[in-house]
Amino acid sequence: TEIGSTNTQIFSILNSSNLPVSLNGLPQLQAGGSSAFSNLTTDCVSPLAAGALCNVAVEFKPVSVGAVTGGVVVNTLNAGNKTVTLFGQGTGQATVSLAPSGAATTDFGLVELNNNKSATFVYSNSGNIAATEVYASISGAGYSITSNTCGVAGATATVGAGKGCSITVKFAPVAVGSG
């Protein structure tokens, strides 16, 4: 389930005996240390008649990427306690873009020898998980990175969910007609 999304699962409790089962309260949620499982609802009543079933619904709304477990416990007075184990998997996606900042453009235009022109580019992560392995590099004669708030030059970095950073590129032609 995608971070921020909700998935509701419904399961049934069946009294397979030929006698009513007295519930000791309603089924209870055991979150397993996570707030990802919530909003337990049920139509179970006590006693649960012989051969009858009732339904339990649990919402799963992950807050991080990874596996999450929990449980629903049904306490009875005459049939012992039963636990249903809940499993969930939080997933997410980094949604990234690289675009010129403000009035900047990817066209450096005409730049005379012994002069230079710079443009700043914004790297944005509008996704719901961090973008990892972010690496800024540039190629081409006369181009260089003069500022990089995305991380340390020559190393990968992480840009958090909903965060951004900037990279400033300078063009200083090395010959007439280069670039």
Side-chain angles (χ1 to χ4, degrees), residues 42-54:
T42 183
D43 62 2
C44 295
V45 295
S46 184
L48 186 59
L53 53 90
C54 62

Side-chain angles (χ1 to χ4, degrees), residues 6-174:
T6 301
N7 184 355
T8 301
Q9 292 295 313
I10 299 172
F11 59 92
S12 297
I13 299 170
L14 170 66
N15 178 2
S16 59
S17 75
N18 55 6
L19 298 173
V21 172
S22 296
L23 301 178
N24 188 12
L26 296 175
Q28 298 294 309
L29 185 62
Q30 289 182 328
S34 170
S35 61
F37 294 106
S38 64
N39 295 333
L40 181 140
T41 58
T42 183
D43 62 2
C44 295
V45 295
S46 184
L48 186 59
L53 53 90
C54 62
N55 297 302
V56 176
V58 177
E59 286 185 359
F60 177 63
K61 185 176 183 178
V63 294
S64 62
V65 173
V68 180
T69 60
V72 173
V73 177
V74 179
N75 295 312
T76 68
L77 297 175
N78 56 341
N81 298 333
K82 307 295 180 195
T83 301
V84 175
T85 303
L86 305 173
F87 298 98
Q89 181 76 29
T91 60
Q93 181 173 333
T95 305
V96 298
S97 64
L98 180 64
S101 174
T105 176
T106 56
D107 183 355
F108 284 84
L110 296 175
V111 181
E112 294 182 14
L113 282 174
N114 301 318
N115 288 308
N116 64 68
K117 187 172 182 182
S118 294
T120 300
F121 298 85
V122 176
Y123 182 91
S124 300
N125 177 6
S126 61
N128 57 13
I129 65 169
T132 59
E133 305 287 324
V134 176
Y135 183 81
S137 66
I138 194 156
S139 61
Y143 291 96
S144 61
I145 294 175
T146 59
S147 173
N148 177 5
T149 66
C150 297
V152 178
T156 61
T158 299
V159 177
K163 304 288 184 188
C165 56
S166 63
I167 303 162
T168 301
V169 175
K170 178 175 81 174
F171 173 61
V174 294

